[in-house]
Amino acid sequence: MSEAEHRVPIDTGPQPAAEGIAARALRLRGATYLAGLNPDQRCAVETLDGPVLVLAGAGTGKTRVLTTRIAHILNLGRARPAEILAVTFTNKAAREMKDRVGQMIGQVVEGMPWLDTFHAIGVKILRRHAELVGLRSDFTILDTDDQIRLIKQLLEFEKLDEQRWPARVFAALLEGWKNRGLAPDQVPAIEAVSFANGKGKALYQAYQQRLKTLNAADFGDLLLECIRLFRQHPDILRQYQERFKFILVDEYQDTNTAQYLWLKLLAQPRSSPDAPGAATAGDEGAERGRSPDVGPRLHTNICCVGDDDQSIYGWRGADVDNILRFEHDFPGARIIRLETNYRSTGHIVAAAAHLIAHNRGRLGKTLRAEGGPGEKVQVTACWDSEDEARAIGEEIEAMQRAARENGADHPLDEIAILVRASFQMREFEDRFIQIGLPFRVIGGPRFYERAEIRDALAYLRVIAQPADDLAFERILNVPKRGLGDAALQMLNEVARRKRIPLLEAARLLGASGEMKPKPRAALRALVDCFDRWRGLGAKIPHAKLAEIVLDESGYTEMWQRDRSADAAGRLENLKELIRSMEEFENLTGFLEHIALVTDADGGEGGEAVNIMTLHAAKGLEFDTVFLPGWEDGLFPHQRSLDEEGHAGLEEERRLAHVGLTRARKRARIYFATNRRIHGLWTSTIPSRFLDELPPDNVEVTEARTGGFGMAAYGASRFDEMTAFGSNYGTPGWRRAQGRRGAGADEASAAEARVEAAERGRRPASRLVSRPGQAGDAGRGGHPLRARRAPPLIEGALIAKSTGTVSQFAVGERVFHQKFGNGNVIAVDGNKLTVAFDKAGEKRVVDRFLERV
DNA sequence: TGCCCGCCCGTTTTT
DNA sequence: CGGGCGGGCA
């Protein structure tokens, strides 16, 4: 399609035909699409001409404005769908926008070819003009994994000590340069010298060289090469400038410098001969600093939507300055603020707004809540992270009970636990497994990044693209076929000498007598396989081909024979991969898709509490949000403070703001006073962000467990606490303080001490694997309120209270997502004790198990 | 070639 | 404290 579209006359404007029935139908819908907007939103939608910056606070209808704006442009006939460039960061956001625009404008208009992620659009442009940047149009897109391996090769070739100069360090450096739009000769001298005694720049050059040989581009190149293309070929740039009558950018606060430069080039339409001179190398500073003098500017219909208070990706190259500098970059820009929050209740909005007001570098917005005040933001102190997980688990169960009593229910999907760092998740997973609370972890290792998937893909890549050396190298000896380092070295040597791909080198070596018979035979077999598979590819569906490849290569068998815990899961993943291939027309299409789309997307049904990082939560919303771990050093994170100083603190604060504003009805903050850091128990200080919350909108409570166990505190620790407590005089807080006094609860104090001591001894083994003792649950009181009862007893009580009988029997073979395969060795209600092959003995709830 | 031991490190992550 | 990786040894 690229060729055909290429020739479509570019500047035909609205066509008369569009004014017919379809347009009238659209008009009718138009009456509704504008009606529901508030005045600010409406202004953001209707201000079509000139640069516009929409500062959209959390929950103020950002996506709605973007999509309505597109609908509006189309409805007025100001542009056709193919003349609107709309960029997002993630595939998810792009998909959502496509869906919503589709809904608004109905089937009357064809889809929008230029609504996509920065990278997807970059690829689209590059494939059309690949020759001009030294690539072929079927170039491969490398991911981080490939990159690292490529860099390792380069370092080896340069005889650099991998210990002193690790590949990933260089990869990070490289990424940073590319994020900033720097070509090898533009890298600042100091930075170029900083790696491998001044070899940084040369390595960058060699790396780019190698990419061209491999006919490959990395993620950074998808934008950088576009920029280079635009600068070196003003005629091509002009084509695109004229085509895109309107440009829309989502999440502008997250753009990095390369994306900024890319946008800026496209958003300077019909600029007079700005051309090669001004546009070639070395003027990064100039372009960014002053506003480039580019002659008569006719229209820059660019609309950027973002929120400087939600910029949380500085560490990966996003430059908040881009949004702060907007007016300067696009003179005459309109700035429209969306400040009415439709998502959260009053106290939550007030708390978030007050917190973020402590930041200095911001454009300034005042969020207002639409709805009533709702519940105050709760702040709860816990003894340690285990206590924190227990408290939150019980809170969730209590909420469900309460809802049930009211005949309502609080769906688990509407609950999220947002952590700063992923290691915090484990505690919740463990606890929820124990009490049988369904949860799902969002984030984690991504589907397409798993080793088995990448191995399978490598086979397919070699079939589709015989010159893909990285892919070939990856599977050369996977599964093991006796082609180790020695063989690879020979291959590399031949390939380099003859300037041919590894696969071709393999063919030569397989035919010649240079190699020892064994590896030679293996090599020949492999090459034959690839020849056969490629031939087959033309005849059978690609999903079927993949299946055959995995079988014949011995790859499936390799995992079938593997006895480790996750082998079953890996085989499952491979099946899933083949299933997902069926949705694509051909192998190339599929490979392109997976190169750019990495979100496995958690749409998996089923009622479950969501556990994820704060970063992963951006853009999402939930009725109830739990925010654990608000301790200085963890949140704000120490490393952020150390490395980025005040800027780092402000970004952490924005993260806190993002966290709070995810909540519709309930936001609950927790902190622990003790946490294990790098294996050591450390006492912690409550997050400074707590003191930045407005007291009137906050309620300080004690944990439901009552497990805070103040009596177990040393005096000094409590003194640290008072810095926090002094701000509050709520009953809950006073109660907690009161408990500090002697004898308030001798028994529990003793219990807490014992337990603390016990934890000190074996903090890691978490009371899970002592199934024998589950029986004596003879204590009174509600199981959930059981004060400091040993968790096992608590677990048993819950199991009994659910009244279910397990469908599993002792001796059965079962599979668990996290622990792998194992044998049931005890059954107790719906709780089973399973001896896992790898993970050892665990107590798990039966619903997490499958029969094998 | 494969396994094991020891060392090092330990925040966030999309494309 | 525990996981991952790399080097060294069998």
Side-chain angles (χ1 to χ4, degrees):
Chain A
M1 98 152 187
S2 69
E3 266 315 295
E5 200 180 330
H6 208 57
R7 294 203 188 99
V8 166
I10 280 172
D11 205 4
T12 45
Q15 297 183 335
E19 296 293 280
I21 296 167
R24 264 183 285 145
L26 282 172
R27 285 259 155 70
L28 272 177
R29 296 184 132 248
T32 30
Y33 74 68
L34 286 177
L37 302 175
N38 73 28
D40 294 333
Q41 290 174 330
R42 191 157 174 153
C43 181
V45 165
E46 293 186 310
T47 311
L48 294 184
D49 294 296
V52 177
L53 175 63
V54 181
L55 285 175
T60 56
K62 178 195 71 159
T63 310
R64 180 156 189 216
V65 162
L66 267 173
T67 49
T68 312
R69 188 179 164 96
I70 292 174
H72 190 55
I73 292 167
L74 296 172
N75 182 35
L76 291 185
R78 292 286 306 271
R80 287 172 298 156
E83 293 169 337
I84 298 173
L85 172 67
V87 273
T88 64
F89 277 83
T90 63
N91 293 297
K92 200 174 157 208
R95 207 181 316 127
E96 193 183 331
M97 258 170 84
K98 278 178 189 162
D99 287 351
R100 285 173 71 165
V101 171
Q103 277 168 25
M104 291 185 105
I105 62 181
Q107 309 88 328
V108 193
V109 189
E110 73 271 30
M112 302 205 16
W114 299 100
L115 191 174
D116 222 318
T117 62
F118 275 103
H119 296 268
I121 289 171
V123 175
K124 202 167 189 171
I125 293 176
L126 275 189
R127 291 226 189 270
R128 292 178 173 197
H129 314 283
E131 342 69 63
L132 296 178
V133 294
L135 293 168
R136 278 174 276 126
S137 68
D138 61 348
F139 64 83
T140 317
I141 300 164
L142 300 190
D143 64 22
T144 340
D145 218 65
D146 298 320
Q147 261 188 74
I148 298 277
R149 282 184 306 134
L150 204 160
I151 292 169
K152 276 188 179 161
Q153 289 170 12
L154 290 174
L155 293 177
E156 210 172 311
F157 191 72
E158 294 283 326
K159 305 260 185 297
L160 286 168
D161 180 10
E162 258 250 45
Q163 292 288 313
R164 271 197 74 189
W165 311 106
R168 30 189 53 265
V169 170
F170 185 70
L173 214 50
L174 196 61
E175 196 190 356
W177 291 334
K178 292 196 171 183
N179 280 340
R180 284 184 289 152
L182 300 174
D185 53 344
Q186 296 171 314
V187 173
I190 318 137
E191 293 177 52
V193 167
S194 72
F195 191 84
N197 309 318
K199 292 214 174 112
K201 184 171 161 181
L203 278 170
Y204 186 179
Q205 251 148 4
Y207 173 86
Q208 290 304 116
Q209 193 70 55
R210 187 90 183 98
L211 286 187
K212 295 290 183 274
T213 317
L214 291 171
N215 189 30
D218 64 20
F219 283 124
D221 285 349
L222 300 181
L223 291 168
L224 266 194
E225 294 288 26
C226 261
I227 293 174
R228 192 156 72 88
L229 171 78
F230 288 157
R231 287 184 175 159
Q232 290 175 356
H233 302 274
D235 51 317
I236 289 172
L237 172 61
R238 176 170 296 239
Q239 270 179 37
Y240 287 100
Q241 288 172 335
E242 287 173 0
R243 162 182 304 225
F244 298 135
K245 301 209 160 50
F246 293 89
I247 299 177
L248 294 90
V249 187
D250 190 19
E251 307 276 22
Y252 190 63
Q253 78 282 353
D254 286 338
T255 46
N256 62 33
T257 305
Q259 287 154 341
Y260 163 81
L261 292 171
W262 187 90
L263 279 173
K264 190 112 197 231
L265 283 163
L266 287 169
Q268 306 280 342
R270 289 156 260 183
S271 57
S272 61
D274 167 17
T280 37
D283 66 341
E284 247 44 68
E287 174 120 18
R288 299 211 27 201
R290 326 167 217 134
S291 133
D293 187 12
V294 285
R297 189 178 287 114
L298 296 181
H299 285 297
T300 307
N301 294 331
I302 182 169
C303 173
C304 296
V305 182
D307 180 1
D308 48 325
D309 293 335
Q310 290 186 65
S311 161
I312 55 175
Y313 284 114
W315 52 273
R316 69 174 195 214
D319 188 355
V320 209
D321 277 358
N322 288 345
I323 197 166
L324 302 179
R325 232 185 25 238
F326 190 85
E327 273 181 293
H328 174 262
D329 287 334
F330 298 96
R334 284 281 303 270
I335 296 197
I336 297 164
R337 287 180 164 76
L338 304 183
E339 300 178 303
T340 312
N341 176 303
Y342 295 95
R343 177 188 300 157
S344 316
T345 50
H347 285 304
I348 295 170
V349 170
H354 192 266
L355 174 76
I356 199 62
H358 288 79
N359 270 9
R360 289 206 299 262
R362 60 193 291 257
L363 292 166
K365 263 184 281 76
T366 317
L367 269 192
R368 290 181 304 267
E370 243 287 288
E375 290 178 31
K376 290 189 176 185
V377 174
Q378 268 184 28
V379 175
T380 309
C382 299
W383 167 254
D384 62 12
S385 54
E386 191 185 332
D387 196 32
E388 191 179 54
R390 179 181 319 161
I392 290 176
E394 289 178 8
E395 189 108 16
I396 292 171
E397 291 182 325
M399 275 168 39
Q400 288 196 290
R401 261 198 313 280
R404 229 175 289 132
E405 277 159 24
N406 295 332
D409 82 330
H410 191 303
L412 292 178
D413 309 272
E414 280 304 335
I415 299 174
I417 296 168
L418 309 183
V419 298
R420 178 59 188 48
S422 44
F423 73 81
Q424 292 172 263
M425 293 178 178
R426 211 200 56 149
E427 199 82 66
F428 291 98
E429 293 174 42
D430 287 355
R431 181 67 193 161
F432 293 174
I433 285 175
Q434 233 179 37
I435 64 175
L437 183 64
F439 64 90
R440 98 186 109 231
V441 173
I442 294 180
R446 263 176 294 272
F447 186 70
Y448 292 119
E449 277 165 22
R450 293 170 197 201
E452 67 277 16
I453 300 299
R454 298 195 41 73
D455 288 339
L457 288 174
Y459 275 99
L460 299 174
R461 275 166 58 184
V462 176
I463 294 170
Q465 175 71 262
D468 195 333
D469 284 1
L470 286 166
F472 183 76
E473 208 187 302
R474 184 181 178 100
I475 48 82
L476 178 64
N477 202 28
V478 179
K480 303 263 181 292
R481 42 172 79 90
L483 296 169
D485 273 356
L488 178 61
Q489 244 168 35
M490 260 175 125
L491 282 169
N492 265 324
E493 205 263 316
V494 172
R496 206 168 317 141
R497 185 152 36 88
K498 306 216 164 181
R499 296 173 179 279
I500 51 173
L502 285 176
L503 182 64
E504 289 313 307
R507 195 185 301 280
L508 289 182
L509 279 172
S512 80
E514 283 174 66
M515 223 173 207
K516 283 187 210 144
K518 242 198 218 160
R520 191 181 142 197
L523 208 52
R524 200 154 34 178
L526 186 64
V527 174
D528 286 349
C529 277
F530 274 113
D531 287 344
R532 191 172 62 253
W533 294 331
R534 192 162 310 125
L536 222 48
K539 292 175 214 140
I540 60 172
H542 55 287
K544 185 75 195 148
L545 174 70
E547 217 170 320
I548 290 173
V549 168
L550 292 182
D551 275 349
E552 294 188 357
S553 63
Y555 192 75
T556 317
E557 196 194 338
M558 176 182 103
W559 286 116
Q560 278 165 349
R561 269 199 248 158
D562 192 305
R563 298 296 305 150
S564 65
D566 45 0
R570 291 179 195 268
L571 285 164
E572 196 51 48
N573 288 338
L574 290 171
K575 270 189 215 149
E576 176 57 35
L577 177 75
I578 288 168
R579 229 171 295 147
S580 72
M581 287 180 73
E582 286 162 7
E583 293 163 30
F584 294 84
E585 266 178 40
N586 52 46
L587 188 56
T588 324
F590 173 72
L591 289 174
E592 166 101 16
H593 167 82
I594 53 123
L596 290 174
V597 176
T598 47
D599 51 354
D601 216 6
E604 322 153 42
E607 273 281 287
V609 173
N610 301 286
I611 303 176
M612 68 189 92
T613 63
L614 285 159
H615 283 93
K618 195 167 84 149
L620 305 178
E621 52 184 287
F622 305 90
D623 282 345
T624 303
V625 169
F626 292 96
L627 300 162
W630 282 42
E631 297 132 39
D632 254 41
L634 178 57
F635 192 38
H637 201 280
Q638 193 56 45
R639 211 151 146 179
S640 212
L641 303 178
D642 291 346
E643 284 167 20
E644 307 293 328
H646 191 257
L649 175 64
E650 295 215 339
E651 185 154 311
E652 295 283 303
R653 194 178 279 119
R654 290 193 289 268
L655 204 46
H657 169 257
V658 166
L660 280 169
T661 53
R662 297 310 95 197
R664 293 198 196 95
K665 299 178 187 158
R666 277 171 293 270
R668 306 202 165 161
I669 300 172
Y670 290 76
F671 65 90
T673 49
N674 295 280
R675 196 173 285 274
R676 227 178 52 208
I677 300 172
H678 306 329
L680 294 171
W681 280 101
T682 316
S683 69
T684 54
I685 301 175
S687 171
R688 65 192 74 182
F689 297 150
L690 290 169
D691 284 329
E692 297 175 354
L693 296 170
D696 289 347
N697 304 292
V698 172
E699 179 192 10
V700 179
T701 64
E702 57 180 320
R704 292 190 73 86
T705 41
F708 186 24
M710 293 302 285
Y713 269 96
S716 63
R717 259 185 227 130
F718 189 79
D719 290 345
E720 286 165 0
M721 297 284 310
T722 51
F724 164 73
S726 62
N727 282 349
Y728 306 98
T730 60
W733 185 252
R734 262 185 261 120
R735 229 172 13 248
Q737 278 188 325
R739 188 160 302 137
R740 173 178 64 135
D745 191 338
E746 286 283 348
S748 78
E751 240 175 58
R753 260 193 301 271
V754 167
E755 200 176 317
E758 170 147 309
R759 263 196 218 104
R761 227 180 307 124
R762 11 165 238 107
S765 81
R766 56 193 65 250
L767 310 146
V768 187
S769 46
R770 285 183 297 153
Q773 301 175 15
D776 61 348
R779 273 190 207 199
H782 193 285
L784 296 174
R785 303 267 159 99
R787 209 183 143 71
R788 284 278 148 195
L792 261 187
I793 292 174
E794 202 174 296
L797 283 172
I798 290 170
K800 289 203 175 121
S801 70
T802 61
T804 49
V805 176
S806 176
Q807 48 167 337
F808 295 98
V810 172
E812 256 186 304
R813 188 86 180 139
V814 290
F815 172 73
H816 185 278
Q817 277 298 338
K818 198 173 168 187
F819 303 129
N821 290 313
N823 297 314
V824 178
I825 58 174
V827 179
D828 174 19
N830 64 344
K831 304 254 172 180
L832 308 180
T833 305
V834 179
F836 290 103
D837 300 346
K838 284 279 154 172
E841 259 180 39
K842 302 272 178 199
R843 245 175 104 70
V844 292
V845 178
D846 66 353
R847 90 170 91 179
F848 288 96
L849 293 169
E850 289 166 40
R851 251 187 212 98
V852 183

